[in-house]
Amino acid sequence: MAERIDGKQVAEDVIAKVKLLTSQLLASTGVQPGLAVVIVGEDPASQVYVSSKSRKAKECGFKSVQHTLAAETEEKELLDLIASLNADSEIHGILVQLPLPAHIDAGRVIQTIAPEKDVDGFHFINVGKLVTGETETAFVPCTPAGSMILIERVRGKDLSGLNAVVVGRSNIVGKPMANLLLAANCTVTVAHSRTNDLPAVCRTADILVAAVGRPQMIKGDWIKPGATVIDVGINRISTSDNKTRLVGDVDYAEAEKVAGAITPVPGGVGPMTIAMLMANTLSAASLAAGLERPSF
Ligand code: GUN
């Protein structure tokens, strides 16, 4: 049976470190990390995510501000808000929750965030740093950054000689994940919906990262025996008793019989995402105070 990778526990370890370093930063420099979270519209899932981010920031000892704008807000108003947050010395991290309403150009909004406050790691400057291997100074998107910590817990920091397959090519998860694995010396394949014989490609993976958003798509016989499996998917499915439950992109019951280690859903990658947002915000505040960024 595969080792179950306890993302909840690892995330708690990260948060404990963030809390400790936050109190030390405040005591030594007077700087309190500040996170601004911006949401436009009433999407219920986004509202849940945003309030848990704001709550966790408070718990870490951050200044936490949330800006909730109406769905019909003009793009200009949002850009003006970001400009004022860019100029606010008490704010070190800015997160604009996606998706944005269709009349707003999300790309333009993201590129307006000051790169040194871009704790989501979506600005071209941070994307470019990650792609060119400047992982020491880049802000890395939170879900792949958290997935990487889970992989390191199983495999160590140097992944030389290992084959990694990332299923999914989104800008938020698949592409940055592939670049992190490459920076750690993996041989990386990015697979997606147009890949031929996806099961055969997955079977080459010593490290398999699933980020496709299709419930339980990856079956046990797609997995190389002993592989490390990181399941980024969070899908709600109906069960036979008219209830719902969360499942990943991997068929866990099958996969745990073959894999060496695997993340569960829930309780795997999910808790790491929010923990890394806190870590990135602390890093932004430390850099703003002229200190080195902490490592996680
Ligand atoms: N919507 C879904 N995931 C994310 C994320 O990681 N960051 C932001 N800003 N919005 C999201």
Side-chain angles (χ1 to χ4, degrees):
M1 256 339 183
E3 174 199 345
R4 181 177 170 282
I5 304 171
D6 188 348
K8 192 161 172 280
Q9 182 60 54
V10 179
E12 280 171 17
D13 295 348
V14 170
I15 293 292
K17 187 167 181 185
V18 169
K19 285 181 184 171
L20 177 68
L21 294 176
T22 296
S23 61
Q24 289 174 352
L25 179 69
L26 185 60
S28 63
T29 66
V31 172
Q32 179 188 28
L35 175 65
V37 179
V38 181
I39 179 170
V40 185
E42 280 98 39
D43 178 57
S46 290
Q47 283 178 332
V48 172
Y49 289 135
V50 161
S51 49
S52 65
K53 287 168 185 173
S54 299
R55 203 173 336 111
K56 190 62 82 175
K58 282 199 191 84
E59 190 190 315
C60 287
F62 297 176
K63 175 185 161 99
S64 170
V65 293
Q66 187 176 322
H67 294 268
T68 305
L69 307 182
E72 54 279 2
T73 299
E74 302 264 349
E75 182 175 305
K76 166 89 170 53
E77 194 182 323
L78 178 56
L79 294 176
D80 288 348
L81 171 60
I82 292 171
S84 74
L85 294 170
N86 282 342
D88 185 340
S89 63
E90 290 190 357
I91 295 297
H92 305 97
I94 302 170
L95 180 142
V96 178
Q97 186 68 22
L98 302 176
L100 289 167
H103 69 277
I104 295 178
D105 180 343
R108 182 155 48 215
V109 169
I110 288 165
Q111 300 314 319
T112 306
I113 298 171
E116 66 276 15
K117 297 191 179 189
D118 170 38
V119 284
D120 254 333
F122 294 164
H123 192 285
F124 292 152
I125 293 275
N126 287 311
V127 175
K129 284 183 174 183
L130 173 57
V131 172
T132 52
E134 299 265 334
T135 46
E136 294 299 311
T137 62
F139 284 106
V140 176
C142 301
T143 300
S147 299
M148 204 61 202
I149 288 183
L150 297 180
I151 292 168
E152 286 171 4
R153 292 277 171 126
V154 179
R155 296 278 190 167
K157 276 192 189 284
D158 184 2
L159 306 176
S160 294
L162 298 177
N163 291 331
V165 174
V166 179
V167 189
R169 55 174 159 178
S170 70
N171 291 333
I172 296 184
V173 182
K175 286 177 194 163
M177 189 76 236
N179 280 297
L180 283 171
L181 290 162
L182 194 57
N185 302 324
C186 278
T187 302
V188 182
T189 303
V190 182
H192 47 79
S193 57
R194 308 288 177 93
T195 297
N196 278 343
D197 200 352
L198 186 57
V201 173
C202 290
R203 274 192 290 269
T204 67
D206 301 300
I207 297 169
L208 179 63
V209 181
V212 269
R214 286 173 175 260
Q216 299 171 313
M217 184 182 88
I218 293 176
K219 302 298 176 192
D221 64 357
W222 298 25
I223 292 167
K224 180 174 177 175
T228 302
V229 178
I230 304 294
D231 191 350
V232 179
I234 302 178
N235 312 287
R236 190 166 285 285
I237 60 165
S238 310
T239 53
S240 50
D241 52 356
N242 268 346
K243 296 200 174 120
T244 65
R245 72 184 176 103
L246 293 180
V247 297
D249 293 346
V250 178
D251 187 325
Y252 188 91
E254 288 186 9
E256 71 168 344
K257 297 191 187 116
V258 190
I262 181 168
T263 59
V265 177
V269 174
M272 291 302 291
T273 296
I274 198 157
M276 296 319 291
L277 175 65
M278 302 305 130
N280 280 350
T281 305
L282 172 64
S283 292
S286 304
L287 292 169
L291 302 175
E292 276 183 25
R293 67 191 287 166
S295 63
F296 287 91

